């Protein structure tokens, strides 16, 4: 190997180590038989078993799941319609307005939503968190659906009409099958974005409601226990597999 | 009664492009009709209006005597083979072909039988369960044709269906399309910018230019007797000699071509003396030789061989005639050992019969 490409190889390895070593440590120590995160003493599944007994944590996980499912459902419905509209009316301003919320800092979104909810007298809780998550998940679904439609051969719809399909049947038989992978990918994205959101949830959850990320945060304020490593590992496995699935379904939109 | 009547069809885009300009044509039942013209002359625009994807700004379309305006594409008994084939990617070959039958609510048993027959007709019975992306270009093209024919439309529109295929495949598909059309007896309207394809396939063809029809006729008519300079030039190659009308007698007009003198051309028209005119003569009608005896009913010129193009079956010689103009003459390579008849700079004489030329008044 020439010196230059060897240097490049080491640099790349360094970057990967930096990206994945912390995650790896969390996973490894979630199986560690010691209360301290310092030394490996032996393999155990105790921490995972303990999770099942932690009522607060289970409630938080349940809330997160309900929120994520509701967010996914609403975002897919509204986002798909938005994506179809975007591909039909190709005005740049429209796409920009849909993409912008993805770029706005979470803290700004969180604060402004909080102010808005208080202004319209919406009681903070599950419902406000769902609305808040929907507001940024719609954009992702809309973008994925629009891109699936852009890749669709426009002659396909014409061919269907030509061969006897009404506009509605043509949409159902030709457009829907083509954009379904995009919609599913959008749904998976919405789900993962919702389930591990912290900042926006923090602002909009109110006092009584807690979600998994919020619960984990309040636990580490006391101390970082192997129990947290176990929760984090589970969360990580779930989100990673959903992201991989989404990228398989819509490879043009979400590149891996 | 003609099957399809197009009456004064006009279609404008953004006010300044006139894609189709006051075009009238009628298509007879059962014929293979071709629209031939250069890129951008409005062929696709015209087909889209027939299929119902676009509406004329003026004029009317009648199918079997009935106005088509306001009839949506799904209700027109007109099916299209798209240039991109537009096969449904998530359906198998058989499902693609069965689609129009499904739309027409044909019962399952009959649907399956007709799908099978249509696939056999295009020799794809063994590919029924493949997906379109598992087929070659030629096979996809045949699926598109089978799908468009299966529900027996009154009219089949084909927009450059062979453009994406290689030369060999294209020639094979041309032969298949002709025999398929004769077998099913459905009227074809075929779009191409390939003049060879148009001549080989059609019963009749229309040459289009700038959204207008320049000439309609059967292939040999259009090739042998072009009406306009554009047609003469677009179909095959043609020598064009400009001049002005001189003497004329019954059935014969003499054209005074500057530097060449009067050249005779058979013509039934009796144009005004002094009017501008063009003599068109195809290269294969021009004889060349070292010496040609003068004959009545023939034009004879002299020149030197300027260059030659060996094409295998024929050689095209370009002869510089006395005033510096080039005339092309095509000679079949009949000699057994392939030696050349003439060389650069040779003094030659060339001649063609009065009735081999064509007088274009434009
Ligand atoms: N939707 C459209 N909007 C604006 N102009 C158009 C549209 N469709 C076609 N045109 C214009 O109309 C003219 C005719 O186009 P058309 O596609 O009918 O040509 P064509 O004969 O099919 O050419 P080709 O052989 O390249 O397919 C062109 O100048 C084209 O730019
Ligand atoms: Mg075209």
């Amino acid at each position: 190997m020439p010196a230059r490409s060897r240097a490049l190889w080491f640099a790349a390895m360094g970057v990967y180590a930096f990206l994945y070593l912390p995650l790896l440590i969390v996973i490894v120590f979630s199986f560690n038989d010691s209360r301290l995160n310092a030394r490996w003493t032996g393999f155990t599944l105790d921490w995972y078993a303990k999770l099942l007994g932690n009522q607060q944590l289970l409630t938080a996980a349940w809330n997160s799941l309900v929120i994520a499912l509701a967010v996914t459902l609403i975002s897919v419905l509204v986002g798909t319609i938005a994506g179809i509209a975007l591909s039909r009316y190709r005005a740049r301003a429209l796409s920009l307005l849909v993409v912008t919320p993805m770029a706005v800092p979470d803290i700004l979104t969180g604060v402004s939503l909080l102010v808005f909810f208080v202004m319209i007298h919406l009681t903070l809780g599950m419902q406000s968190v769902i609305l808040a998550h929907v507001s940024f998940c719609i954009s992702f679904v809309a973008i994925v659906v629009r891109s699936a439609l852009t890749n669709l051969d426009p002659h396909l719809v014409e061919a269907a009409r030509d061969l006897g399909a009404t506009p509605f049947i043509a949409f159902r038989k030709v457009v829907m099958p083509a954009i379904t992978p995009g919609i599913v990918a959008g749904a998976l994205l919405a789900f993962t974005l919702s389930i591990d959101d912290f900042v926006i949830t923090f602002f909009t959850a109110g006092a009584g409601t807690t979600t998994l990320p919020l619960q984990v945060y309040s636990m580490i304020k006391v101390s970082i226990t192997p129990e947290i490593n176990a929760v984090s590992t589970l969360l990580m496995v779930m989100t990673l597999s959903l992201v991989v699935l989404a990228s398989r379904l819509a490879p043009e939109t979400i590149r891996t | 009664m003609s099957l399809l009547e197009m009456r004064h069809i006009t279609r404008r885009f953004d006010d300044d492009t006139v894609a189709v300009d006051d075009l009238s044509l009628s298509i007879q039942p059962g014929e293979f009709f071709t629209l031939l013209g250069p890129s951008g002359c409005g062929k696709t625009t015209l087909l889209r209006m027939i299929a119902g994807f676009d509406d004329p700004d003026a004029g009317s379309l009648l199918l079997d005597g009935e106005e088509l305006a306001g009839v949506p594409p799904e209700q027109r008994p007109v099916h299209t083979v798209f240039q991109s084939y537009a096969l449904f990617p998530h359906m198998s070959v058989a499902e693609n072909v069965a689609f129009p039958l499904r739309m027409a609510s044909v019962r399952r048993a009959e649907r399956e039988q007709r799908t099978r027959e249509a696939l056999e007709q295009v020799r794809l019975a063994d590919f029924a369960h493949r997906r379109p992306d598992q087929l070659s270009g030629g096979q996809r093209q045949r699926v598109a044709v089978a799908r468009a024919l299966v529900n027996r439309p009154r009219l089949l529109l084909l927009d450059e269906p062979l453009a994406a295929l290689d030369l060999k495949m294209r020639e094979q598909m041309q032969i298949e399309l002709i025999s398929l059309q004769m077998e099913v007896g459905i009227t074809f309207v075929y779009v191409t910018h390939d003049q060879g394809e148009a001549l080989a396939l059609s019963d009749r063809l229309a040459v289009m230019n700038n959204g207008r029809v320049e000439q309609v006729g059967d292939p040999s008519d259009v090739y042998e007797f072009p009406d306009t300079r554009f047609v003469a030039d677009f179909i095959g190659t043609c020598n064009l000699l400009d001049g002005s009308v001189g003497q004329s007698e019954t059935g014969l007009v003499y054209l005074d071509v500057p530097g060449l003198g009067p050249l005779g051309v058979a013509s039934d028209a009796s144009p005004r003396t002094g009017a501008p005119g063009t003599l068109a003569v195809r290269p294969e009608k021009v004889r060349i030789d070292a010496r040609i005896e003068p004959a009545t009913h023939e034009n004879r010129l002299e020149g030197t061989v300027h260059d030659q193009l060996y094409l295998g079956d024929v050689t095209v010689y370009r002869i510089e005639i006395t005033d510096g103009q080039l005339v092309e003459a095509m000679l079949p390579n009949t000699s057994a050992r392939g030696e050349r008849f003439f060389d650069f700079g040779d003094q030659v004489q060339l001649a063609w019969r009065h009735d081999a030329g064509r007088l274009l008044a434009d």
Side-chain angles (χ1 to χ4, degrees):
Chain A
M1 221 188 311
R4 203 150 56 135
S5 70
R6 190 174 311 154
L8 204 59
W9 190 81
F10 275 116
M13 284 304 113
V15 170
Y16 278 114
F18 180 67
L19 286 177
Y20 287 99
L21 218 51
L23 295 178
L24 216 62
I25 290 171
V26 167
I27 295 173
V28 168
F29 279 97
S30 75
F31 297 108
N32 191 6
D33 195 10
S34 152
R35 269 218 75 83
L36 301 169
N37 264 334
R39 210 158 47 83
W40 180 261
T41 50
F43 181 85
T44 179
L45 287 175
D46 277 1
W47 306 118
Y48 289 89
K50 255 189 120 173
L51 285 183
L52 296 176
N54 186 334
Q55 197 49 51
Q56 265 184 325
L57 202 62
L58 287 182
T59 312
W62 175 250
N63 285 347
S64 277
L65 198 66
V66 171
I67 290 169
L69 286 175
V71 167
T72 305
L73 193 74
I74 301 173
S75 319
V76 162
L77 282 178
V78 184
T80 301
I81 294 168
I84 292 171
L86 281 182
S87 86
R88 189 157 307 170
Y89 312 105
R90 289 172 192 231
R92 284 187 65 84
L94 280 180
S95 324
L96 207 65
L97 286 175
V98 170
V99 180
T100 309
M102 293 159 66
V104 171
D106 279 2
I107 188 126
L108 193 61
T109 311
V111 170
S112 58
L113 282 171
L114 175 61
V115 171
F116 177 68
F117 290 153
V118 168
M119 224 167 82
I120 64 169
H121 302 297
L122 183 83
T123 323
L124 298 185
M126 298 277 271
Q127 61 280 2
S128 57
V129 176
I130 291 172
L131 279 181
H133 286 191
V134 162
S135 78
F136 65 85
C137 287
I138 282 180
S139 304
F140 285 91
V141 178
I143 297 298
V144 182
V145 169
R146 183 191 60 175
S147 132
L149 282 170
T150 313
N151 293 329
L152 184 73
D153 178 0
H155 289 310
L156 287 182
V157 175
E158 286 188 349
R161 295 286 306 278
D162 188 65
L163 298 166
T166 60
F168 175 71
I169 304 261
F171 181 82
R172 226 188 56 200
K173 296 272 184 187
V174 176
V175 180
M176 271 317 273
I179 63 174
T180 300
I183 293 176
V184 176
L188 295 176
L189 271 183
F191 189 86
T192 50
L193 287 171
S194 166
I195 207 148
D196 67 5
D197 176 75
F198 178 79
V199 178
I200 295 171
T201 315
F202 182 78
F203 281 98
T204 53
T209 313
T210 174
T211 65
L212 201 53
L214 295 188
Q215 180 63 28
V216 169
Y217 177 68
S218 70
M219 280 161 74
I220 57 169
K221 277 199 287 199
V222 184
S223 72
I224 302 179
T225 62
E227 220 175 327
I228 289 173
N229 289 338
V231 185
S232 309
T233 303
L234 288 179
L235 205 56
M236 195 164 20
V237 168
M238 185 169 77
T239 41
L240 276 182
S241 45
L242 289 181
V243 168
V244 169
L245 202 59
S247 68
R248 284 280 164 80
L249 288 166
E252 311 83 16
T253 328
I254 314 152
R255 286 196 195 84
T256 44
Chain B
M1 189 174 65
S2 50
L3 177 70
L4 179 70
E5 261 316 307
M6 303 173 223
R7 290 191 187 149
H8 305 289
I9 305 283
T10 298
R11 179 73 175 103
R12 287 183 203 87
F13 290 111
D14 340 311
D15 296 331
D16 49 345
T17 27
V18 186
V20 175
D21 188 4
D22 193 26
L23 179 145
S24 298
L25 270 177
S26 55
I27 309 237
Q28 303 309 315
E31 73 177 336
F32 197 126
F33 191 92
T34 299
L35 295 167
L36 170 67
S39 188
C41 73
K43 307 178 296 288
T44 299
T45 306
L46 190 58
L47 274 203
R48 292 175 58 80
M49 291 189 285
I50 302 173
F53 303 133
D54 195 8
D55 297 311
D57 293 317
S60 59
L61 283 163
L62 297 118
L63 188 74
D64 285 320
E66 293 195 21
E67 176 60 55
L68 280 178
V71 182
E74 63 268 25
Q75 281 166 27
R76 300 186 183 197
V78 175
H79 288 179
T80 307
V81 176
F82 292 83
Q83 184 176 339
S84 61
Y85 311 144
L87 300 179
F88 305 128
H90 55 283
M91 296 184 198
S92 71
V93 166
E95 284 164 344
N96 263 282
V97 174
F99 186 84
L101 300 174
R102 209 178 266 279
M103 291 302 112
S105 312
V106 173
R107 301 178 65 103
R108 184 172 166 164
E110 188 189 341
R111 199 169 69 215
E112 285 174 357
Q113 191 200 337
R114 280 169 66 181
T115 301
R116 202 161 42 238
E117 281 168 9
L119 283 175
E120 273 161 18
Q121 227 160 22
V122 295
R123 297 181 296 106
L124 282 176
D126 296 340
F127 296 83
H129 300 294
R130 295 249 188 121
R131 302 253 154 194
D133 60 7
Q134 299 168 321
L135 299 178
S136 72
Q139 289 165 339
R140 273 181 227 171
Q141 203 272 332
R142 300 208 301 265
V143 176
V145 172
R147 185 180 69 174
L149 281 176
V150 71
N151 203 22
R152 317 210 121 257
R154 295 284 288 143
L155 188 63
L156 185 73
L157 309 176
L158 303 102
D159 192 356
E160 311 211 21
L162 308 183
L165 305 180
D166 64 43
L167 185 64
K168 264 269 170 291
M169 197 67 210
R170 200 150 65 217
E171 285 171 352
Q172 188 194 331
M173 286 307 302
Q174 286 174 6
I175 293 168
E176 285 188 22
L177 276 178
I178 295 176
S179 55
L180 189 65
Q181 197 259 344
M182 292 206 272
E183 197 179 320
V184 296
I186 288 172
T187 311
F188 279 29
V189 174
Y190 189 96
V191 160
T192 182
H193 60 249
D194 179 333
Q195 36 120 354
E197 199 163 286
L199 294 175
L201 291 172
S202 333
D203 293 321
R204 288 197 310 142
L205 60 98
V207 184
M208 284 180 68
N209 186 26
N210 287 329
R212 291 169 168 276
V213 170
E214 294 260 337
Q215 189 171 356
V216 191
D218 64 39
S220 62
D221 255 0
V222 175
Y223 184 81
E224 302 282 349
F225 306 110
D227 280 344
T228 64
R229 200 186 172 93
F230 176 82
V231 175
D233 210 30
F234 187 71
I235 301 189
T237 45
C238 207
N239 296 301
L240 297 168
L241 301 167
D242 295 320
S244 59
V245 174
Q247 288 176 263
S248 54
E249 35 194 89
T250 35
L252 188 67
V253 173
Y254 283 96
L255 196 69
D256 288 319
V257 180
L260 298 176
L263 296 174
V265 52
S267 171
D268 291 330
S270 41
R272 186 172 52 79
T273 308
T278 300
L279 194 162
V281 61
R282 300 261 177 218
E284 68 272 19
K285 313 272 188 199
V286 179
R287 293 187 291 129
I288 55 176
D289 216 330
R291 264 212 68 72
I292 296 177
E293 289 305 313
T296 49
H297 312 307
E298 252 189 13
N299 297 309
R300 195 175 62 132
L301 298 173
E302 297 193 344
T304 51
V305 176
H306 184 269
D307 51 28
Q308 52 180 338
L309 195 63
Y310 177 74
L311 296 174
D313 48 351
V314 294
T315 301
V316 174
Y317 294 92
R318 290 207 297 167
I319 317 289
E320 184 165 9
I321 46 181
T322 28
D323 70 337
Q325 230 181 328
L326 294 176
V327 167
E328 287 188 12
M330 187 190 284
L331 251 61
N333 291 322
T334 48
S335 99
R337 266 170 284 143
E339 67 264 26
R340 288 171 177 172
F341 295 108
F342 305 103
D343 239 324
F344 305 103
D346 280 359
Q347 283 288 329
V348 292
Q349 296 194 322
L350 48 150
W352 68 90
R353 290 164 54 98
H354 289 160
D355 59 5
R358 178 92 175 141
L359 179 67
L360 311 176
D362 48 18

